[in-house]
Amino acid sequence: MSGPSYTVRVAEDPADREMCFAVRKQVFVVEQGVPEDLEYDAYDAVAVHVLAVRDDGVALGTGRLLYGAEAAAKVGGDLTLGSLGRLAVAEEARGLGVGVALVRAIEDAARARGLAAVDLHAQTHALGFYERLGYEPYGPEYLEAGIPHQGMRRAL
């Protein structure tokens, strides 16, 4: 049995961004208990958001890329690094390759901006997922929004 047909695109207009935020709210705020004031931040206005949308228009997942000065604080000041974040896949779409497609789309966006690598803060339960995509852990484990995280990076 195959999953639904979907496309992944950069969220260009306000309706796309609202779909991104709705998926994030369901996954991070409702499912994981992240406070809403921590989930949404000033970076949302400047990030490149990607969106996975089922053929019938239902949002399946999202993620974002920060680069340049906006990413500098998250990646130790290195302007050649992008920061992948807020990767979220709707419960009904998990296991269908949506997360992989979103990560690859974010990496494509990073390459298009001349970045050398992508950095991320992975929830520790997702380390295997990112390792399978070529990300390598670095540094100590830490808490972010009360959830254990690990820094990871992949050269492009």
Side-chain angles (χ1 to χ4, degrees):
M1 183 170 114
S2 66
S5 181
Y6 63 90
T7 57
V8 176
R9 65 179 186 248
V10 172
E12 298 285 359
D13 61 43
D16 279 354
R17 287 196 181 215
E18 287 307 312
M19 286 196 285
C20 292
F21 298 151
V23 172
R24 284 171 45 186
K25 183 172 186 171
Q26 180 59 39
V27 171
F28 296 124
V29 177
V30 175
E31 291 178 26
Q32 296 183 356
V34 174
E36 215 164 331
D37 63 325
L38 291 180
E39 175 50 30
Y40 305 102
D41 59 27
Y43 296 119
D44 282 326
V46 295
V48 176
H49 297 268
V50 295
L51 176 66
V53 182
R54 202 166 62 195
D55 287 349
D56 64 2
V58 173
L60 299 178
T62 188
R64 74 180 188 187
L65 171 70
L66 298 176
Y67 64 97
E70 287 78 18
K74 293 182 174 286
V75 296
D78 188 340
L79 296 178
T80 69
L81 299 177
S83 177
L84 183 159
R86 302 304 201 269
L87 188 75
V89 176
E91 187 174 20
E92 67 270 16
R94 293 177 192 153
L96 302 176
V98 173
V100 172
L102 288 164
V103 169
R104 295 307 187 215
I106 290 168
E107 291 170 349
D108 288 346
R111 274 188 208 91
R113 285 157 179 81
L115 301 176
V118 173
D119 198 83
L120 59 86
H121 300 176
Q123 292 183 8
T124 55
H125 71 83
L127 288 175
F129 168 78
Y130 289 112
E131 286 175 331
R132 287 188 298 278
L133 295 177
Y135 286 81
E136 297 179 2
Y138 67 86
E141 185 177 300
Y142 56 92
L143 289 179
E144 194 169 289
I147 299 169
H149 281 71
Q150 173 71 54
M152 301 188 84
R153 183 169 295 156
R154 178 174 186 254
L156 297 177

